[in-house]
Amino acid sequence: MTGRPAGRPLVPAYLSTGGVARPSRPHMERLTVLALTGEPLRQGPPQGSPEGLPAAGLALLEALEGGSLAVVEAAALLRLPVSAVRVLAADLEDRRLVLARPPIPPAGRFDPDLLKRVADGLRALKHD
Amino acid sequence: MASAPSSTTSAPSGTTGAPGEKDRVHLPDTARDLVKILVAGPFGVGKTTLIGSVSEIRPLHTEEHLSEASAEVDDLAGVRDKTTTTVAIDFGRVSLPGGVVLYLFGTPGQERFRALWDDIAYGALGALVLVDSRRIDASFDVLGLVEESGLPYAVALNEFPDAPRHHGVERLRRALDLEADTPMVTCDARDANSSIDALLALVDHLLTRDPVEAR
Ligand SMILES: Nc1nc2c(ncn2[C@@H]2O[C@H](COP(=O)(O)OP(=O)(O)OP(=O)(O)O)[C@@H](O)[C@H]2O)c(=O)[nH]1
Ligand SMILES: [Mg+2]
């Protein structure tokens, strides 16, 4: 029926490449969830900021006081590029100030159980 | 120093319909599995409209530097000083019962966004490709990108008032060069239920397509 020849590759691109055309995984993904550990900030040097953190790092901690945020949400709220938030959040994680929970690994996203929950959830939303 | 907008703090999760609800960005405590779907298409096709009609938060956006998307940035000062082309990427979010949080990323389809596309597509469930039936050739680039990335996809035909009525589904499918099992639905991106139906066409496709592909 369609003009395209039948027969697709048995190993689609998202399996053979791990989901992207480039080799390295991003250290923090857009949907990595960030939350405060609750560790208190140590005083920085005299006249310095707590822990010697950059202003953007403190702003990220402040944003997380209201609850957890995905990396991409933190970037939007702080008006910073996602790449910058990745770096900031990794630094705060190293200092044990922030917990970072990665999203479902790419291999897990075709789990029928997960997909069914998405479909059922969307259907439930329609009746609102 | 920058600080988070105060309107985004507090408010317990679980309430619906409260005023200012859409301004609460923090994740509900029930959030467990975060997944994303790309809403892809050419300029002006209705990506932002569809995301806005489904999202529980007012759609947000990030400013993405086109030249840096493929390289990790290790110097914040460098990011700020650089004068590169930026593009705003919209996104929205829906918390579903059962702990799943679905993110929708509006993704421009031009070839020059490829590195950014790959970064956003990483780990996505699939893509909903929006097509304006008045100018289907504007969607060829995005179909090429989505097919190369290997993301499963469905096509949603956004019907604008002056769209030609007599295209015929088969002719359109042929013009878009779609596989026989690729879903194609019509959609009014301004309508939440219609937009949800389009997303469901994609998710149902993910559930039912050939298990060889899904494994
Ligand atoms: N009739 C009709 N109008 C629509 C539909 N979807 C979007 N529009 C209108 O089309 C215009 C463009 O929609 P947007 O959602 O801004 O399109 P976009 O894809 O985000 O555009 P860019 O971000 O500029 O690439 C707006 O004025 C919408 O109101 C639709 O399904 N039907
Ligand atoms: Mg838009």
Side-chain angles (χ1 to χ4, degrees):
Chain A
M1 281 301 239
T2 67
R4 192 177 293 192
R8 296 182 185 179
L10 279 180
V11 181
Y14 57 80
L15 288 185
S16 57
T17 66
V20 284
R22 45 187 248 265
S24 68
R25 292 171 55 102
H27 177 59
M28 292 235 178
E29 293 171 39
R30 275 162 204 268
L31 298 190
T32 295
V33 175
L34 306 176
L36 295 180
T37 56
E39 284 292 313
L41 286 177
R42 287 187 307 257
Q43 252 333 299
Q47 266 120 53
S49 63
E51 305 242 357
L53 285 170
L58 293 174
L60 178 53
L61 291 174
E62 197 180 316
L64 292 173
E65 274 166 21
S68 39
L69 290 170
V71 163
V72 69
E73 290 163 342
L77 287 178
L78 299 178
R79 298 178 203 281
L80 287 171
V82 170
S83 52
V85 172
R86 283 174 168 151
V87 175
L88 286 171
D91 177 47
L92 294 173
E93 192 186 23
D94 289 345
R95 296 170 191 255
R96 312 222 186 294
L97 294 171
V98 160
L99 289 171
R101 182 162 56 87
I104 298 168
R109 71 196 138 131
F110 300 122
D111 170 16
D113 196 66
L114 173 71
L115 292 172
K116 245 187 88 46
R117 280 192 288 148
V118 176
D120 292 346
L122 282 171
R123 284 203 173 84
L125 212 62
K126 265 189 71 175
H127 299 295
D128 277 354
Chain B
M1 183 186 107
S3 65
S6 56
S7 60
T8 61
T9 53
S10 79
S13 61
T15 52
T16 51
E21 174 87 1
K22 286 205 153 203
D23 293 314
R24 182 164 44 74
V25 176
H26 292 94
L27 283 163
D29 297 336
T30 51
R32 253 189 313 132
D33 300 316
L34 278 58
V35 297
K36 61 182 165 181
I37 287 175
L38 273 54
V39 177
F43 178 74
V45 76
K47 302 180 291 295
T48 305
T49 305
L50 187 141
I51 291 167
S53 66
V54 179
S55 181
E56 71 195 7
I57 54 172
R58 207 177 303 287
L60 297 170
H61 71 270
T62 52
E63 292 292 337
E64 309 278 350
H65 298 246
L66 288 185
S67 58
E68 84 188 20
S70 58
E72 284 299 312
V73 174
D74 48 21
D75 176 13
L76 269 179
V79 173
R80 291 212 175 101
D81 294 343
K82 225 183 286 176
T83 49
T84 48
T85 325
T86 63
V87 59
I89 299 292
D90 301 305
F91 66 96
R93 182 182 88 201
V94 204
S95 301
L96 303 173
V100 180
V101 185
L102 173 63
Y103 285 78
L104 302 173
F105 282 91
T107 320
Q110 291 90 319
E111 180 58 39
R112 66 198 173 95
F113 297 132
R114 176 185 295 267
L116 182 58
W117 173 286
D118 286 341
D119 188 73
I120 297 171
Y122 183 81
L125 299 182
L128 183 65
V129 177
L130 301 189
V131 173
D132 177 345
S133 57
R134 297 168 301 183
R135 46 185 186 107
I136 58 169
D137 52 326
S139 294
F140 290 168
D141 264 16
V142 68
L143 284 168
L145 278 173
V146 82
E147 284 178 0
E148 270 177 55
S149 70
L151 281 184
Y153 67 95
V155 172
L157 211 55
N158 255 6
E159 297 222 295
F160 289 85
D162 52 337
R165 288 279 147 198
H166 307 293
H167 257 310
V169 171
E170 269 317 310
R171 260 189 62 201
L172 268 172
R173 296 189 65 96
R174 262 200 307 279
L176 293 168
D177 199 20
L178 300 184
E179 296 277 355
D181 69 342
T182 300
M184 188 173 83
V185 296
T186 57
C187 164
D188 186 333
R190 300 164 301 177
D191 181 71
N193 279 350
S194 177
S195 299
I196 290 169
D197 279 336
L199 291 168
L200 275 168
L202 171 64
V203 180
D204 286 339
H205 174 57
L206 298 178
L207 271 164
T208 56
R209 77 213 163 101
D210 189 342
V212 170
E213 288 175 81
R215 203 145 294 154

